Amino acid sequence: MKKLALLSVSDKTGIVDFAKQLEERDYEVVSTGGTLKALLDGGVDAISVEKITNFDEMLDGRVKTLHPRIHAGILARRDNETHMKQIAAQGIDPIDLVCVNLYPFKETIEKPDVTDEEAIENIDIGGPSMLRAAAKNSQDVIVITDVNDYSEFIKRYDANELDAAYHRHLAAKVFRHTAAYDALIAQYLTKEEFPEKLTLTYEKVQDMRYGENSHQKAAYYSEPIPEKYSLANAKQLHGKELSYNNVRDADAALRIIAEFPDQPAVVALKHMNPCGIGTADDLLTAWNLAYESDPISIFGGIIALNREVDLATAEKMHAIFLEIVIAPSFTDEAYDVLAKKKNIRLLTLPFGPIDKTGKDEVSVLGGMLVQDRDLLHEASANFKVVSKVQPTAEQLKALAFGQNAVKHVKSNAIVVTTANQTLGVGAGQPNRIDSTKIAVEKAESKPNFANAVLASDAFFPMDDCVEFAAKHGIKAIVEPGGSIKDQDSIAKADELGIALVFSGARHFKH
């Protein structure tokens, strides 16, 4: 007795060859619309679904498989005598294989000029219904939604390996697929910033050798339609596959360098914290400033550059060990120099602003935190001078540079900086005075420390940070303000004759 296979696909890749192989294995093929035409044109002896339903397709194709003769044939349990008698009484044949892929909703909404009407017309109804029905009855029905599974099914069929585990694998894959499909639709239609149910979906980019440490398994997933300026859109030109830590560090570097679009800029990063940031009128100078910020920590670091990498800059980078270099592009000569190192990863991606509508999500045990991205770009025009000493114009530029850098350092965070170069970074200490000491002590040995200012990601709870900084040569400080002891810090700044500025905005980064 022939088995019945229902094929209805939007992506027709390989479907004719698959149908022919099914026919060779005693399947009778039933199909719909464009799939049926493709099969008939390809020489497959397929029959129309209308011959099974005795019901013409209607509503511009919205209704064609939504029919009891289809769904009963899929859902009837073969081990249930009552089910089998009921479908036999109606003259319904069981459907043994369902091969469906869905209307191209993702591809539709990716179009820059897509309308809501066009998007909604590409929400599949019949396809998910058939897939879910077949997956529910997967002990009896083979269900395929991925064109990459066609050959695997044929191979297993011929080897008599269509076991229960394989049926369950295909069913689980279907429910993941339909859940992701529905999640994307929900995201497209949702206007609430924080809806009552958060339906997110991601697609696997790659399995990783391990996670943060070698005993942790890991994989990298991206959004179905990743924003333009993201690592998901990067093109790797050279080097080993990215690791878990590489991805996190590269993402952090991209977030930082987005703060400095107006000049050539270089960010050197280690363990999610910048160890050097430099900006200048040319890329080589910016590199030198970033490198000189911390020539020890940059070893094995991640480098982001916001201009095309030229030969001179590449030669400087080639001289030290780096994990990743990511830039908009490389000149041929620059690429040739850097690619001499086998393991360095060279990546390009379209540089641009970070999506302001995007959210940051952080997993916690049993849940997830979601928040707006911290895209507040600090400008000295918004600062309030609270000390008697007034900062100079150059100091104000440095204070703004420092605030835009310190927001990307793990809290408690302190950065000592000039107007175009970080000199010392104090990151992640459990108290602010220790972060201050680390940043200042790193900066003191730098040639241009005389021009240094200090930036803090949050207010000073007491005056010890102001006192330490001032006594070590810092002439101007910026912090958000807002402590009940703000007056103590102001008084200490006035006592020691330095400028103290409040930015009004905290930048914790946990």
Side-chain angles (χ1 to χ4, degrees):
M1 179 179 175
K2 283 198 171 187
K3 301 175 286 292
L4 206 57
L6 175 55
L7 278 55
S8 181
V9 294
S10 292
D11 180 358
K12 295 174 177 58
T13 304
I15 194 63
V16 172
D17 183 60
F18 183 50
K20 287 180 178 178
Q21 293 187 72
L22 291 175
E23 285 186 320
E24 291 170 4
R25 288 156 180 82
D26 290 327
Y27 279 93
E28 184 173 16
V29 175
V30 181
S31 192
T32 65
T35 307
L36 177 64
K37 183 179 186 304
L39 295 178
L40 294 175
D41 290 347
V44 178
D45 190 19
I47 63 172
S48 168
V49 72
E50 285 90 346
K51 290 187 177 179
I52 293 192
T53 61
N54 296 317
F55 193 90
D56 291 338
E57 178 183 313
M58 64 183 298
L59 305 181
D60 298 318
R62 287 187 170 199
V63 177
K64 51 192 172 190
T65 58
L66 294 168
H67 194 281
R69 298 185 72 84
I70 296 298
H71 285 272
I74 296 172
L75 285 164
R77 293 192 55 163
R78 287 20 169 203
D79 62 354
N80 186 308
E81 186 178 348
T82 301
H83 283 195
M84 300 310 290
K85 285 182 177 179
Q86 286 177 343
I87 66 169
Q90 297 292 333
I92 297 172
D93 293 324
I95 296 173
D96 302 287
L97 183 147
V98 171
C99 176
V100 172
N101 56 57
L102 306 177
Y103 290 175
F105 184 79
K106 172 186 168 182
E107 292 76 10
T108 300
I109 62 173
E110 283 182 304
K111 298 176 184 177
D113 56 348
V114 66
T115 63
D116 280 352
E117 181 181 6
E118 184 180 3
I120 288 167
E121 279 305 309
N122 277 277
I123 297 175
D124 203 326
I125 301 300
S129 299
M130 287 188 290
L131 285 174
R132 289 172 59 84
K136 176 175 180 174
N137 202 25
S138 64
Q139 74 277 6
D140 295 318
V141 181
I142 288 287
V143 55
I144 297 175
T145 191
D146 186 346
V147 298
N148 296 310
D149 286 328
Y150 295 170
S151 59
E152 175 69 12
F153 168 75
I154 295 299
K155 178 182 174 182
R156 283 179 170 269
Y157 182 95
D158 292 344
N160 196 26
E161 293 178 352
L162 301 178
D163 56 18
Y166 180 61
H167 280 247
R168 186 181 180 90
H169 160 75
L170 291 176
K173 192 168 185 176
V174 160
F175 283 117
R176 291 195 300 271
H177 180 69
T178 56
Y181 190 80
D182 285 344
L184 192 59
I185 295 168
Q187 289 175 32
Y188 177 81
L189 295 175
T190 296
K191 302 304 180 186
E192 297 90 341
E193 189 172 20
F194 298 102
E196 78 291 347
K197 292 189 184 297
L198 187 62
T199 52
L200 303 176
T201 183
Y202 297 89
E203 297 176 358
K204 186 187 283 188
V205 175
Q206 68 185 76
D207 289 307
M208 297 187 151
R209 288 170 56 207
Y210 52 82
E212 281 184 294
N213 302 290
S214 59
H215 61 277
Q216 295 171 269
K217 294 181 180 179
Y220 174 30
Y221 291 82
S222 78
E223 296 173 344
I225 307 175
E227 58 193 86
K228 183 179 178 182
Y229 180 62
S230 73
L231 196 63
N233 283 320
K235 180 180 179 182
Q236 185 165 348
L237 306 180
H238 176 78
K240 296 189 298 185
E241 198 172 67
L242 295 178
S243 71
Y244 179 98
N245 292 330
N246 288 158
V247 171
R248 295 206 67 197
D249 283 339
D251 177 74
L254 290 175
R255 290 171 184 254
I256 298 169
I257 205 162
E259 298 282 356
F260 309 101
D262 297 332
Q263 278 187 295
V266 177
V267 169
L269 183 135
K270 283 287 286 292
H271 302 294
M272 302 287 288
N273 285 302
C275 58
I277 303 173
T279 64
D281 292 332
D282 64 272
L283 196 65
L284 179 60
T285 303
W287 159 263
N288 289 335
L289 291 171
Y291 174 80
E292 291 160 4
S293 295
D294 192 341
I296 295 174
S297 297
I298 199 173
F299 182 84
I302 280 73
I303 308 299
L305 311 95
N306 67 354
R307 300 291 191 273
E308 181 176 67
V309 178
D310 55 31
L311 177 60
T313 307
E315 288 175 335
K316 290 278 191 175
M317 290 191 287
H318 178 73
I320 62 173
F321 168 59
L322 299 172
E323 286 273 0
I324 297 174
V325 177
I326 184 167
S329 58
F330 299 80
T331 67
D332 292 343
E333 296 83 2
Y335 174 82
D336 289 342
V337 166
L338 291 169
K340 289 177 182 177
K341 293 193 172 183
K342 179 181 177 182
N343 292 328
I344 191 171
R345 289 94 161 170
L346 304 178
L347 288 83
T348 60
L349 84 156
F351 271 56
I354 296 174
D355 183 0
K356 293 182 179 180
T357 66
K359 295 285 188 287
D360 284 334
E361 297 122 14
V362 178
S363 64
V364 295
L365 294 175
M368 178 180 287
L369 294 169
V370 182
Q371 67 171 351
D372 292 337
R373 293 168 174 170
D374 184 0
L375 298 179
L376 176 63
H377 189 78
E378 296 282 6
S380 59
N382 300 321
F383 293 170
K384 178 183 178 183
V385 180
V386 294
S387 59
K388 294 176 181 177
V389 173
Q390 298 293 304
T392 66
E394 186 67 12
Q395 286 174 336
L396 282 172
K397 284 176 60 179
L399 293 170
F401 183 95
Q403 278 296 87
N404 288 314
V406 79
K407 65 187 279 194
H408 297 282
V409 178
K410 291 286 187 180
S411 298
N412 288 314
I414 299 289
V415 169
V416 177
T417 182
T418 67
N420 63 349
Q421 181 189 28
T422 54
L423 303 179
V425 176
Q429 300 304 304
N431 61 74
R432 195 158 295 279
I433 185 61
D434 281 351
S435 290
T436 302
K437 289 176 180 178
I438 291 169
V440 172
E441 287 167 3
K442 279 180 173 288
E444 281 181 301
S445 62
K446 303 298 192 310
N448 48 355
F449 179 69
N451 301 317
V453 303
L454 183 145
S456 175
D457 67 334
F459 62 64
F460 297 131
M462 52 193 68
D463 64 8
D464 54 352
C465 294
V466 175
E467 181 176 18
F468 184 89
K471 288 185 175 180
H472 284 75
I474 297 294
K475 298 294 193 297
I477 295 174
V478 62
E479 52 132 318
S483 169
I484 60 173
K485 294 188 176 181
D486 275 348
Q487 192 56 47
D488 291 351
S489 292
I490 295 169
K492 184 62 67 174
D494 289 340
E495 174 191 332
L496 297 174
I498 68 170
L500 181 62
V501 172
F502 285 176
S503 68
R506 190 183 74 185
H507 293 289
F508 273 155
K509 187 173 187 291
H510 283 80

